[in-house]
Amino acid sequence: MSVRFEVESHVARVTIDRPDRMNAVDGATEAELDRIWDEIEGRDDIRCVVLTGAGERAFSAGSDLKSDTGKSGLEYWASGNPNGFGGISLRTSLGVPVIARVNGLALGGGFEMVLGADIVIASDGAKFGLPEARVGRLPLDGGMVALQRLIPRNIAAGLMMTGRTLSAQEAAHYGLVNAVTAADGLDAEVEAWVADILACAPLSLAAIKHTLRGTAHLSPAEARNLQTPALMAALVSEDSEEGVRAFREKRPPVWRGR
């Protein structure tokens, strides 16, 4: 398979496994990624996802241009996945935190998948870019609409209008990356973030993620008063009582996800 999917101890690991193609995504890989995200959404045993690419050179170089679908740019846009590139860049229905483990180049759709993550950990040699205009195409699957909402508009415009790349350090400076580490420390840094996520109540995290991603168009007061299903589920959960009880009893909480 072009994607490895493993679940252990509440952590799903999704690895694009095409290192010979810089983990570029062809049609079969796109379909498998979309299927995996759907499966994750339907499971209650997964509390964190780590998304990465195989090897050391690339997280993902984006769309595999050597695997031509035969579609024109207009046809591609009209038939685009509503969940964005790789089924994740624009997905709004996933309540589980996603960590992007960026081990190299994240270009085009690869960068768009990073934009769909909640936390980004990058090796110090990672690079980010949206070079679609250099081949007469557009960053349609999240880049053109999401990037300007995460970093200053002119920085986003400069990247997309030149095809230039951001270094990991520059991406961290603009707030796109949570942590930058040497390549040999990347896994340890990712696992530290995973451990901290698992220490939190899963329903609380789902409510936080939903609010972060679903209320940016509202005023703070409107967003605060929005009674979403995720928010209400967290507020009335058993875990909300367990967390306070564990704090008072000076012990780690045991999350049930309910």
Side-chain angles (χ1 to χ4, degrees):
M1 295 297 293
S2 58
V3 185
R4 298 199 309 267
F5 175 50
E6 304 157 313
V7 180
E8 185 178 357
S9 300
H10 302 294
V11 180
R13 300 183 191 274
V14 181
T15 305
I16 303 169
D17 194 10
R18 305 185 75 215
D20 57 318
R21 300 289 306 132
M22 301 287 282
N23 297 317
V25 175
D26 60 4
T29 305
E30 174 89 9
E32 180 62 6
L33 284 167
D34 216 26
R35 185 201 68 76
I36 287 169
W37 297 119
D38 287 343
E39 179 178 339
I40 290 172
E41 284 190 16
R43 293 176 61 162
D44 58 10
D45 61 325
I46 296 173
R47 291 165 47 192
C48 179
V49 182
V50 177
L51 172 64
T52 192
E56 300 178 354
R57 297 172 61 201
F59 174 82
S60 172
S63 183
D64 190 346
L65 295 182
K66 291 188 177 181
S67 177
D68 191 0
T69 63
K71 293 181 180 179
S72 68
L74 181 60
E75 290 169 333
Y76 181 88
W77 174 77
S79 63
N81 187 338
N83 291 315
F85 195 89
I88 187 62
S89 66
L90 294 173
R91 185 176 286 261
T92 59
S93 50
L94 183 64
V96 180
V98 177
I99 298 174
R101 175 189 175 275
V102 185
N103 50 314
L105 294 176
L107 303 177
F111 190 7
E112 290 175 321
M113 287 190 288
V114 171
L115 297 177
D118 304 293
I119 295 168
V120 182
I121 313 300
S123 68
D124 54 12
K127 292 186 181 297
F128 304 81
L130 293 168
E132 282 85 348
R134 290 199 172 202
V135 293
R137 293 298 176 101
L138 297 166
L140 294 170
D141 292 313
M144 204 157 50
V145 295
L147 185 59
Q148 62 168 313
R149 289 167 166 78
L150 295 173
I151 66 175
R153 188 204 64 182
N154 283 17
I155 303 302
L159 285 173
M160 289 185 281
M161 292 180 176
T162 64
R164 293 183 180 186
T165 60
L166 282 178
S167 69
Q169 294 78 9
E170 290 170 325
H173 171 75
Y174 292 118
L176 276 173
V177 169
N178 295 83
V180 179
T181 182
D184 60 4
L186 183 59
D187 286 332
E189 183 69 20
V190 169
E191 293 312 306
W193 284 81
V194 168
D196 284 343
I197 286 173
L198 295 180
C200 296
L203 291 180
S204 293
L205 296 180
I208 290 168
K209 178 166 180 171
H210 186 275
T211 300
L212 284 171
R213 291 184 171 266
T215 64
H217 62 294
L218 302 175
S219 71
E222 290 170 329
R224 190 265 180 204
N225 293 323
L226 195 63
Q227 297 182 14
T228 64
L231 177 70
M232 301 312 294
L235 291 175
V236 301
S237 67
E238 294 178 19
D239 281 351
S240 69
E241 301 297 328
E242 163 64 9
V244 174
R245 185 165 52 247
F247 177 81
R248 289 172 178 166
E249 296 173 0
K250 299 182 179 180
R251 61 173 175 80
V254 179
W255 304 126
R256 305 291 186 186
R258 59 177 189 264

